[in-house]
Amino acid sequence: MYHIRVFRAIDDLEACEKFAYGHAKVLTDYGVTKVTSARTDWFDNPGVFVVLVQNEETKEVVGGERIHLVQPGYPLPIESAISVVEEGIYALVARYAKGAITGEICGLWNAKSIAGKGVSVLLTKIGVAIARKLGMDSLFVLCAPYTVKMCQDAGFEIETSIGNKGQFIYPKLDLIATSLIVRDLDHLAYADKDFRSEIFGYFENPVGECVEHGQKGETQISYDISIPNIRNEYGL
């Protein structure tokens, strides 16, 4: 059994460190060393919420993701990642932040011990549900090729106004990243109907259990994505 929980980064430094260690190790195992979402300057960012996957018996951290809300003095990871080749990313994020709440889902990873068991798909659905809980109006993501379809199923659309129709060479010369965005978190009009139903289910029932099915078997997971210690500036 695995357990998923969410917390504000500034409220649990020890868990942030475990997240960062596991994320960095997975990236290194795959030969990737320069990814902005793997930095640790988010530890003191009040607009970061961390989703952690732990083995219930051993307490080992085996996966997770982060949701970054736009905050003064803290560029989104997607801004830091692609601004060198696409300055327009700053204006794009600013446009979605004007009079609204925007941000990014990033740093999604899982350990090899649970690879292929559906956890990444579950984290994507849960991440969108949490963004809705945070009252966000839109949500960015920067995807590897093999995760684009998964994100589109969750309601994201390719943001073609930047890069090469939304694509960038990142984080190294032989890899392509694609920028996507959910423009309407209230309705998720472009989501796959089954994904939409599940996302709304996690939003409405933030505590529960589920079984995820992947190419390498199934995983039983308990989750609590009710969000503690939310400040009034998020309107919650």
Side-chain angles (χ1 to χ4, degrees):
M1 173 77 84
Y2 294 90
H3 182 67
I4 294 178
R5 68 181 179 98
V6 60
F7 59 92
R8 282 164 52 100
I10 61 173
D11 293 332
D12 195 337
L13 179 58
E14 182 180 356
C16 289
E17 291 172 343
K18 291 179 179 178
F19 177 103
Y21 174 81
H23 187 202
K25 186 176 186 305
V26 168
L27 290 173
T28 302
D29 287 346
Y30 287 101
V32 179
T33 57
K34 294 183 179 180
V35 175
T36 55
S37 64
R39 290 160 51 174
T40 59
D41 50 0
W42 51 269
F43 283 14
D44 62 353
N45 183 340
V48 172
F49 295 83
V50 184
V51 183
L52 212 62
V53 186
Q54 289 180 281
N55 183 308
E56 280 202 338
E57 292 183 2
T58 66
K59 304 304 179 185
E60 177 189 5
V61 175
V62 294
E65 65 188 342
R66 304 193 311 272
I67 294 93
H68 287 228
L69 281 73
V70 165
Q71 290 282 297
Y74 294 94
L76 295 179
I78 192 172
E79 293 179 288
S80 301
I82 66 176
S83 59
V84 175
V85 294
E86 177 56 85
E87 290 186 359
I89 184 61
Y90 292 117
L92 181 66
V93 171
R95 176 158 62 88
Y96 280 99
K98 187 175 181 179
I101 303 175
T102 194
E104 177 182 1
I105 185 171
C106 65
L108 192 155
W109 66 279
N110 58 255
K112 287 185 176 181
S113 61
I114 58 170
K117 293 188 176 182
V119 176
S120 292
V121 177
L122 175 60
L123 284 173
T124 301
K125 298 170 189 172
I126 281 178
V128 175
I130 291 170
R132 294 184 84 244
K133 280 190 167 297
L134 292 170
M136 297 177 70
D137 301 286
S138 56
L139 183 67
F140 287 89
V141 70
L142 190 62
C143 286
Y146 57 87
T147 60
V148 170
K149 175 63 165 57
M150 176 178 72
C151 287
Q152 288 176 315
D153 285 343
F156 288 85
E157 303 171 78
I158 296 176
E159 179 51 74
T160 59
S161 69
I162 54 175
N164 180 14
K165 296 182 178 180
Q167 293 189 328
F168 303 86
I169 296 174
Y170 177 83
K172 56 182 186 175
L173 291 177
D174 59 343
L175 294 177
I176 299 292
T178 302
S179 60
L180 299 95
I181 186 170
V182 179
R183 295 183 175 86
D184 182 7
L185 280 160
D186 279 342
H187 301 99
L188 298 178
Y190 293 95
D192 170 86
K193 63 184 178 87
D194 291 332
F195 269 56
R196 184 191 300 113
S197 177
E198 290 185 57
I199 290 167
F200 286 172
Y202 294 126
F203 174 78
E204 294 164 2
N205 301 287
V207 181
E209 294 185 2
C210 63
V211 176
E212 283 298 308
H213 301 272
Q215 295 178 343
K216 296 183 180 179
E218 64 180 35
T219 307
Q220 188 171 1
I221 297 171
S222 66
Y223 58 87
D224 182 350
I225 59 168
S226 51
I227 308 173
N229 301 328
I230 303 297
R231 290 182 179 173
N232 290 334
E233 65 258 32
Y234 298 116
L236 299 172

